[in-house]
Amino acid sequence: HADRDRASGSRMRRNRLGRPRGRWSMRNGGRSAIRPERPRGYRTRVSPRHVPSSVTELARVGLFAELPGEILGKLADRMRREEVASGTVVIREGEPGDRFYVLLSGVAGVSQTSIGDRRILRAGEFFGEVALAMHISRTATVTAMTPCVVASCDATTFDELVRPFFADDGEPGSG
């Protein structure tokens, strides 16, 4: 198997099935580690517009822990997963409330103009339910303090799948 890569002319290593494994690095006379083949322009990090949340991620959230798998699956399909950079305002006090959020990872700060910093949100906590449940504008600003991952759903999904949790619970979050 002394095949050569057409583009670079370097020798190809093959696995035990005879498939190309990677390209020998020509640094150090070919003695260095194998570099995996990647097409030119290949990007390892992709930011699609809509990435659904996973059932596993949502099952770790206390609010959804007791949900049956079928409903949790529906919720996961409808929730949009987003990476949020540190310092980014996720929701702003006074703006219309159109989404409910769950913090999947990271730390976010909650503040209100009248009283300043109010509390810290950690992974597994939620926010934005006050505006949706009461049909009012946002009651607080939530800002990512570290890089965060949030999952959010629209008002229709909130009303159908999430709102029933707040009928018995007297502990609303922020927003």
Side-chain angles (χ1 to χ4, degrees):
H1 291 277
D3 295 335
R4 296 201 176 267
D5 182 20
R6 289 180 196 170
S8 68
S10 62
R11 277 181 72 153
M12 295 288 297
R13 268 199 80 181
R14 299 201 172 262
N15 65 14
R16 59 188 168 89
L17 299 174
R19 294 187 182 128
R21 241 178 96 192
R23 192 177 314 156
W24 281 103
S25 172
M26 295 315 290
R27 287 183 231 127
N28 300 327
R31 292 187 304 268
S32 62
I34 297 172
R35 197 174 43 185
E37 296 269 349
R38 287 190 194 160
R40 289 203 180 267
Y42 177 79
R43 295 172 63 177
T44 56
R45 226 175 146 173
V46 178
S47 268
R49 290 186 177 192
H50 176 78
V51 177
S53 298
S54 74
V55 171
T56 306
E57 287 175 320
L58 294 180
R60 290 186 203 135
V61 175
L63 181 66
F64 306 133
E66 301 299 317
L67 267 182
E70 181 183 322
I71 294 173
L72 195 58
K74 270 188 196 177
L75 187 60
D77 287 343
R78 295 187 192 178
M79 290 193 87
R80 181 176 67 204
R81 185 180 191 276
E82 300 174 67
E83 292 183 12
V84 179
S86 180
T88 303
V89 173
V90 182
I91 62 172
R92 189 176 304 278
E93 184 176 358
E95 290 183 352
D98 59 346
R99 298 192 76 78
F100 167 75
Y101 294 86
V102 175
L103 188 60
L104 298 176
S105 70
V107 177
V110 180
S111 63
Q112 290 180 307
T113 52
S114 59
I115 51 179
D117 292 343
R118 199 170 129 205
R119 65 181 286 215
I120 301 293
L121 296 173
R122 290 181 170 50
E125 295 187 274
F126 53 89
F127 57 96
E129 78 287 353
V130 173
L132 291 176
M134 299 177 73
H135 304 289
I136 59 174
S137 58
R138 298 286 187 199
T139 60
T141 297
V142 176
T143 306
M145 297 173 72
T146 64
C148 296
V149 177
V150 297
S152 66
C153 67
D154 60 17
T156 305
T157 301
F158 176 82
D159 288 338
E160 182 184 338
L161 300 173
V162 181
R163 184 189 289 272
F165 290 105
F166 296 103
D168 301 330
D169 188 7
E171 264 186 56
S174 317

